[in-house]
Amino acid sequence: MAPRARVRAPELTGRGGWLNTGGKDLSLADLRGRVVILDFWTFCCVNCLHVLDELRELEERHRDTVVIVGVHSPKFVHEADHRAVVDAVERYEVHHPVLDDPELATWKQYAVRAWPTLVVIDPEGYVVAQHAGEGHAHAIETLVGQLETEHAAKGTLRRGDGPYVPPEPVPTELRFPGKALLLPGGTFLVSDTTRHQLVELAADGESVLRRIGTGERGFADGPADRARFSEPQGLAALPDGTVAVADTVNHALRRFDPATGETTTLAGTGRQWWQGSPDEGPAREVDLSSPWDLAWFDGRLWIAMAGVHQLWTYDPQAQTVAAAAGTTNEGLVDGPADQAWFSQPSGLAAAGDRLWIADSESSAVRWVERDGDGFAVRTAVGTGLFDFGHRDGAAEQALLQHPLGVTALPDGSVAVADTYNHALRRYDPATGEVSTLATDLREPSGAVLVDQDIVVVESARHRLTRLRLPEEAVRVEAVAHRTQRAATDIAPGTLRLDVVFQAPAGQKLDTRYGPSTRLLVSSTPPGLLAGGEGAGTDLRRDLALAEGVTEGVLHVSAMAASCDDDPANEYPACHVHQQDWGVPVRVTEGGAARLPLVLAGLDEES
C-alpha cells in the first residue's frame, strides 16, 4: 500500500472565542511542537462528560508535552449561549483551553460526525488519528508515547508549560447544585455537584448547617469531614430514614445517614459499566454508569442510569442491582421495559402507580408503569433526539429543551425542570396539556414541594429559589428548534456503511469469546431503510434505501473490543471502544454511495 498523504490540521476557529487562556486567542502555530488532542464535545452529552474524565490522567501525566483543546460544538440552542459554555467549563472542571464554536465551524473543518470525537495532531501540525465515542484513553496514551519518542528524536518536540490559565474562583455557598431533598425536619439536603459535597441548608434554603464531604473529588466513605464524592447528583429518601445519593462520576450509589453524618457505599465499584459487563448481581460487585437521579418506587430504589440510557433498580433487602428498563440504545422507543429506548434519563419522580422520567437528550417526559407481570414505558411529551423548543399546548405537539428534573404535584400533574429553556413547565395527564409555570430560572435541574410552594434548584445561579405554585400558567411565545447539523447527501439505492476501526498499536481485536465487534443500525423515520437495519457483528454493511423517502436520520451504534497483543502475557489488558451516531442524511442523485464513520483510526478510503 502506498504511504498515505499526511493531512495538515485545519485552523481552530469559533465565533465564541477562547476560554481558560487568560483572554488570549490560540492558533495551531502557537501549539506547534506539542501533541494536540482536540476534544469535540457538548455539555449536554454524558458520553462527552465520560471522555473528560478519561482524559484527566493523561492530561496530568503528559502536561509538558500534550495540550488538550476542547472544541465546544453545541447540539441544543442553549449550548450556543457563550455564558452557558463558561458555566459548563467550570461545572465540569475542564482544566484546558476551550474554543467556543457555536456555529460548528471547526467541527465542519474536521468532518466530525459525532459527540464526542477526539482528533490527535502531531507536533508538526498533522492529523494522525481520530476516535469517536468512549474508551480510547489507552490508545491515545500509547500514541502520545510514540509521538513523544519520534519527535524528540527529530528535534520537533517542545516541552514546557501549556496555555491553560485557570479562571478566578467565585465565592458562593453552593456551586452548580444538582438536586435537592426535603428532610423530615424541614431542612434541605442539596447535592453541591461541582464542589463534590452534600450540603444541608436550613428551612430558609440559604443558611448552611453542615457540609458532607471534603470538597475534593474522590471516592471515600466515612464521617462528614473524610467522605469524598465526585459530582454527586440525585438524592432519595430510603425507608430506613437514610438518604441514597447518586455519586455520578464515581459510578456509584452512596448512603448518607443524616443522624450520624456517616457516608457508606450501597452499589457500584467505582468503575464505569461497559457493554458485556454484568447488568445484575450483588450491588457492590456490579459496575454502574453515571447514575443521575433516584426515586423510591414499587418497593425498589430506581436509578436513572444516564450513562447507558437505562433505568436500573437497587433492592436494599437483597443488596442487589439490576437493569430494569432500556436496551442501552439511545433514542425514544416505548413499549415493554426491556425493549424501550431512553436518551440519557436524568430525573425521576414517583407518583402513585407511575414513575415519571425526565429523558433529557430527547427533550421528553416519560413514565414507567406496571404492565402485567412486568413494566412498560410510555411517552407523555417529546418526539426524539433532534426536536426541541419551548411550546405549550397539547402534549403531542408541545416542546421542551433538555429537561433534567421532574416533580410530582398534589393534583396529579408533573412539574418539569425544563433546564435549557430556563423554565418550570407542567404536564397534566388529565388534560394532556403542557403549560409554563415560571420563566427566568437559570438552568433549573430539580425541584421539591414544600407546603404550597415549590423550591427549584437553580443550578447556574447556585441557589435554591422558592416559588408559589401559580394558579395560572405564564404565557410564552412558542418556539421550535431542530438540531442544526448539515445533512450528508447520499445516493438512492444501496449505501455502503463503513465503521472504521483500527486496533491501537500493540493491540489486536479481542476474539477470545466470539466476535469482537457489534453494529446496530436503525433510522428515523423507520421507512428510510428498506433493508440493512438491525444488529450484527460486521462493521461494514450495505443499507438499502427505500424509494420515495428523501431525508431522515441514520442511527448507528458500534462497539469494538481490543486487547494487548503479547502472546507471553497470560492476562492481557483489554479495552472497549463504543459510539452512537445520529447522521442526518438527504437522498439525492449524485450523493455519496459510501458513508464512513470513524470509531478509531483514519479512513484510508477518504
Side-chain angles (χ1 to χ4, degrees):
M1 181 184 296
R4 177 183 170 83
R6 296 208 297 168
V7 177
R8 176 70 73 176
E11 192 51 81
L12 306 177
T13 59
R15 184 172 55 81
W18 288 88
L19 306 176
N20 285 353
T21 62
K24 178 183 177 181
D25 289 349
L26 297 181
S27 69
L28 285 176
D30 299 324
L31 305 176
R32 196 64 46 80
R34 313 293 288 272
V35 178
V36 178
I37 301 172
L38 303 182
D39 176 14
F40 290 87
W41 69 299
T42 189
F43 63 78
C44 71
C45 160
V46 72
N47 311 95
C48 300
L49 304 185
H50 290 166
V51 167
L52 283 175
D53 293 316
E54 288 179 5
L55 293 176
R56 291 187 201 279
E57 289 186 17
L58 182 149
E59 188 171 24
E60 183 59 36
R61 279 195 296 269
H62 300 272
R63 185 166 296 281
D64 67 335
T65 58
V66 170
V67 175
I68 296 176
V69 174
V71 182
H72 189 267
S73 312
K75 171 186 175 182
F76 289 98
V77 168
H78 171 61
E79 292 175 305
D81 176 355
H82 182 71
R83 178 69 246 176
V85 180
V86 172
D87 286 345
V89 167
E90 180 189 351
R91 181 195 301 263
Y92 298 116
E93 296 186 318
V94 179
H95 292 167
H96 50 249
V98 173
L99 175 64
D100 181 10
D101 184 19
E103 295 170 343
L104 304 182
T106 297
W107 166 288
K108 293 170 186 174
Q109 285 294 311
Y110 281 83
V112 174
R113 295 183 183 274
W115 297 278
T117 291
L118 299 171
V119 175
V120 182
I121 301 170
D122 73 12
E124 294 180 286
Y126 291 95
V127 174
V128 293
Q130 181 171 326
H131 303 267
E134 303 179 50
H136 302 294
H138 175 80
I140 292 176
E141 175 88 43
T142 301
L143 177 58
V144 165
Q146 293 172 344
L147 292 172
E148 287 174 340
T149 300
E150 175 188 343
H151 288 274
K154 291 173 64 176
T156 51
L157 183 69
R158 177 166 57 90
R159 295 181 181 271
D161 293 335
Y164 169 65
V165 178
E168 289 292 325
V170 181
T172 53
E173 295 289 7
L174 302 174
R175 205 69 192 161
F176 298 104
K179 307 287 185 181
L181 177 69
L182 183 66
L183 295 175
T187 60
F188 296 95
L189 189 66
V190 182
S191 55
D192 197 14
T193 304
T194 298
R195 292 214 178 105
H196 314 296
Q197 290 181 318
L198 308 180
V199 178
E200 186 177 0
L201 300 179
D204 63 7
E206 297 179 5
S207 305
V208 175
L209 300 179
R210 60 174 164 170
R211 296 183 181 274
I212 299 94
T214 65
E216 298 176 335
R217 185 189 296 272
F219 191 173
D221 291 339
D225 61 349
R226 293 208 298 270
R228 288 192 178 192
F229 302 90
S230 188
E231 298 182 29
Q233 286 282 348
L235 306 166
L238 295 174
D240 64 0
T242 62
V243 176
V245 181
D247 195 6
T248 303
V249 177
N250 278 329
H251 309 295
L253 300 188
R254 315 292 291 282
R255 184 206 303 268
F256 169 64
D257 188 339
T260 66
E262 288 279 330
T263 295
T264 54
T265 298
L266 289 177
T269 63
R271 298 183 301 269
Q272 183 183 341
W273 188 93
W274 290 96
Q275 291 287 351
S277 301
D279 60 4
E280 62 179 341
R284 294 288 301 273
E285 299 175 17
V286 176
D287 299 340
L288 308 181
S289 183
S290 296
W292 209 276
D293 203 12
L294 307 167
W296 186 262
F297 173 70
D298 198 57
R300 298 282 192 278
L301 181 69
W302 286 66
I303 308 161
M305 204 72 79
V308 285
H309 315 298
Q310 288 183 304
L311 304 182
W312 287 38
T313 59
Y314 167 73
D315 181 344
Q317 297 298 319
Q319 297 184 17
T320 56
V321 292
T327 64
T328 76
N329 297 316
E330 184 178 12
L332 195 156
V333 176
D334 289 342
D338 62 352
Q339 299 174 31
W341 291 23
F342 293 97
S343 301
Q344 213 169 297
S346 302
L348 298 176
D353 58 359
R354 288 185 177 182
L355 176 68
W356 293 100
I357 305 153
D359 204 23
S360 62
E361 279 293 285
S362 59
S363 298
V365 172
R366 308 173 73 183
W367 79 88
V368 168
E369 63 184 3
R370 276 284 180 187
D371 184 22
D373 294 332
F375 292 94
V377 178
R378 318 288 185 205
T379 297
V381 184
T383 58
L385 287 167
F386 302 104
D387 294 294
F388 57 93
H390 191 149
R391 181 194 287 154
D392 289 334
E396 58 267 20
Q397 57 86 54
L399 294 172
L400 309 168
Q401 187 178 181
H402 198 79
L404 289 178
V406 281
T407 305
L409 299 179
D411 65 356
S413 65
V414 183
V416 183
D418 193 6
T419 308
Y420 287 2
N421 280 326
H422 309 299
L424 189 68
R425 310 286 292 283
R426 175 177 177 265
Y427 167 66
D428 186 351
T431 64
E433 294 283 315
V434 174
S435 56
T436 298
L437 299 177
T439 57
D440 191 31
L441 297 167
R442 187 72 183 169
E443 291 193 16
S445 54
V448 292
L449 281 174
V450 183
D451 301 324
Q452 299 303 308
D453 297 340
I454 190 164
V455 175
V456 180
V457 181
E458 274 199 275
S459 187
R461 283 201 177 112
H462 320 292
R463 70 187 188 192
L464 303 188
T465 298
R466 194 176 186 117
L467 303 173
R468 178 71 63 178
L469 276 173
E471 295 183 3
E472 295 186 4
V474 176
R475 292 189 178 274
V476 177
E477 184 176 352
V479 59
H481 301 288
R482 279 186 65 83
T483 298
Q484 296 302 309
R485 282 196 288 160
T488 298
D489 288 339
I490 58 175
T494 300
L495 177 69
R496 167 60 58 89
L497 173 65
D498 275 340
V499 175
V500 177
F501 178 77
Q502 296 158 0
Q507 295 196 347
K508 62 180 180 179
L509 289 174
D510 179 15
T511 57
R512 293 172 300 163
Y513 307 110
S516 61
T517 56
R518 169 180 170 267
L519 180 66
L520 177 69
V521 179
S522 63
S523 66
T524 304
L528 175 65
L529 293 179
E533 65 274 303
T537 58
D538 192 343
L539 294 182
R540 171 173 287 189
R541 186 181 300 182
D542 288 332
L543 306 180
L545 301 170
E547 294 185 9
V549 182
T550 59
E551 63 179 17
V553 177
L554 290 175
H555 303 283
V556 180
S557 177
M559 182 200 73
S562 62
C563 290
D564 291 345
D565 187 11
D566 182 359
N569 186 353
E570 186 178 357
Y571 302 104
C574 297
H575 307 272
V576 176
H577 318 259
Q578 62 184 41
Q579 173 61 16
D580 297 329
W581 291 267
V583 183
V585 295
R586 181 171 50 238
V587 182
T588 180
E589 294 292 341
R594 175 177 177 265
L595 176 63
L597 299 175
V598 177
L599 178 60
L602 292 172
D603 179 21
E604 300 291 347
E605 296 185 35
S606 64

